[in-house]
Amino acid sequence: MFGSILTIGAMLGAITSGRIADFIGRKGAMRLSAMFCIAGWLAVYFSNGAACLDMGRFFTGYGIGVLSYVVPIFIAEIAPKHLRGGLTTLNQLMIVTGASVAFLIGTIVTWRTLALTGLVPCIVLFVGLFLIPESPRWLAKVGREKEFHLALQKLRGKDADVSREAAEIQVYIQTLHSLPKARMVDLFQSKYIRSIIIGVGLMVFQQFGGINGISFYVSETFASAGLSSGKTGTIAYACVQVPITLVGAILMDKSGRRPLIMVSATGTFLGCFLAGSSFFLKAHNMFPESVPLMAVAGVLIFIASFSIGMGAVPWVIMSEIFPIDIKGAAGSLVVLVNWLGAWAVSYTFNFLMNWSNSGTFFIYSGFSVLTILFVAKLVPETKGKTLEEIQACINPDSRGLPILK
């Protein structure tokens, strides 16, 4: 319950994230998220029982749920198209860097001290938001013309000519205001359904590949495989994530989204299959000396492969594929599905491992195979394309609603 309640808070954050970001701005939503995370970590630190622990975890989950929608949208709105993928992946790089640092610190300090370290990035985020410009597109949307031009100029450089981009954004805003406000039920119209299937499908496969179950319980997984110290495997797990995610960020706008996610899913299949095989051998008392090494290798291959593509690419594609008239509602739906999957996997992982260690990893490897087939069949390449061109690939029969560049 303590492990999975974070994802319940994140689901609530996902449901409200689109409206919050539209009402108080991208920076305002991130600042609100930081406040929830600070309150959550303080509740964990000062807790004297399970209720306060769970409340703290729920609050941090809510903040994370809002951030998981707002940050990719904010980056997509401020980034030039040739840097959009790499910068969105940089978000994932920072996430895994934070997770890796937390894994490492957690091996040497108490959990209360670890909760205090969680305050540091929250405070940095809260203060740092005063130093960066708001999304120019959001400023234009709410009619703050002077701030819109200042923010765009600051983002592009004081000597850059932003007149053409400013005009394009104004056309986008005019189109946005002319469109009816989208409701959840509108997302399932035929002109939007393929975008929704792609966004929701990628998040389902990202989560049901097992990432949150494996990462939440990595020490216990290594211990159950027979490794003498779960901490050793945890440290190796933490050290693998960052450099591999950095490689993924570099490759994002070079190799393209589709090849990267398919290679990544192939690797997660191999990692889960290897880990599952190790537990199968252990259950049948075969090659006992090789089982711990196979389990560690399988999990490390899994996290390395996930970090290079499956971790970041779905978020990049999510920020690119939705038309402007459904962007808020669709984004909230996709993030909600992501966190619902995260809850399902993190909550059921221990039950599945008690049922069958090997069977759990074989199930996750099966979802990796389905990911490859799904991407090959439905997901378009978005590298180097404007958001209008991406929409034309997804829905070639549409009349091309303008999409923010």
Side-chain angles (χ1 to χ4, degrees), residues 135-325:
S135 163
R137 289 176 171 85
W138 180 81
L139 291 169
K141 179 183 174 184
V142 296
R144 290 156 64 171
E145 291 292 322
K146 184 177 179 182
E147 293 173 72
F148 156 60
H149 287 284
L150 287 173
L152 188 60
Q153 193 71 64
K154 187 173 181 180
L155 286 165
R156 300 295 178 255
K158 63 179 181 178
D159 298 322
D161 180 7
V162 298
S163 56
R164 181 178 176 182
E165 186 175 4
E168 290 173 345
I169 292 173
Q170 295 287 16
V171 170
Y172 149 69
I173 294 302
Q174 290 170 11
T175 305
L176 179 63
H177 286 315
S178 70
L179 296 168
K181 201 167 186 68
R183 300 166 298 166
M184 279 292 177
V185 69
D186 297 328
L187 302 182
F188 301 98
Q189 297 177 26
S190 59
K191 60 183 176 179
Y192 303 136
I193 195 66
R194 191 167 181 223
S195 295
I196 296 299
I197 289 172
I198 291 169
V200 169
L202 286 173
M203 293 306 178
V204 167
F205 288 121
Q206 182 197 62
Q207 289 301 326
F208 282 88
I211 180 59
N212 275 295
I214 294 170
S215 61
F216 278 18
Y217 300 103
V218 63
S219 294
E220 291 86 344
T221 301
F222 289 145
S224 63
L227 196 66
S228 57
S229 172
K231 285 186 177 182
T232 304
T234 302
I235 292 170
Y237 179 98
C239 292
V240 162
Q241 289 191 91
V242 176
I244 297 297
T245 304
L246 182 59
V247 171
I250 295 169
L251 292 176
M252 180 67 70
D253 285 317
K254 293 183 181 294
S255 66
R257 280 59 152 162
R258 270 170 56 94
L260 201 56
I261 201 168
M262 292 173 78
V263 168
S264 175
T266 302
T268 58
F269 163 77
L270 292 173
C272 282
F273 190 82
L274 185 60
S277 298
S278 72
F279 284 111
F280 180 83
L281 293 176
K282 183 183 179 185
H284 292 82
N285 295 315
M286 299 167 64
F287 308 107
E289 67 283 350
S290 302
V291 166
L293 182 60
M294 285 179 64
V296 171
V299 171
L300 294 184
I301 290 170
F302 171 85
I303 192 58
S305 301
F306 183 89
S307 298
I308 204 170
M310 282 298 294
V313 175
W315 294 107
V316 174
I317 294 175
M318 185 274 286
S319 70
E320 296 173 328
I321 60 173
F322 297 126
I324 55 171
D325 53 331

Side-chain angles (χ1 to χ4, degrees), residues 23-86:
F23 184 66
I24 62 175
R26 290 16 174 174
K27 284 176 61 179
M30 288 187 277
R31 197 173 287 122
L32 179 67
S33 299
M35 291 170 64
F36 268 97
C37 290
I38 289 170
W41 285 122
L42 288 174
V44 170
Y45 179 75
F46 289 110
S47 63
N48 290 314
C52 198
L53 281 171
D54 287 341
M55 182 180 71
R57 186 102 167 136
F58 179 83
F59 279 0
T60 57
Y62 181 83
I64 292 167
V66 175
L67 286 171
S68 64
Y69 168 77
V70 176
V71 172
I73 294 298
F74 180 73
I75 294 171
E77 289 181 344
I78 68 171
K81 69 176 183 180
H82 65 286
L83 295 176
R84 193 171 60 231

Side-chain angles (χ1 to χ4, degrees), residues 112-139:
R112 288 191 193 273
T113 304
L114 188 62
L116 281 182
T117 67
L119 291 170
V120 176
C122 304
I123 294 169
V124 170
L125 173 63
F126 188 85
V127 175
L129 286 167
F130 289 101
L131 308 177
I132 63 173
E134 178 57 274
S135 163
R137 289 176 171 85
W138 180 81
L139 291 169

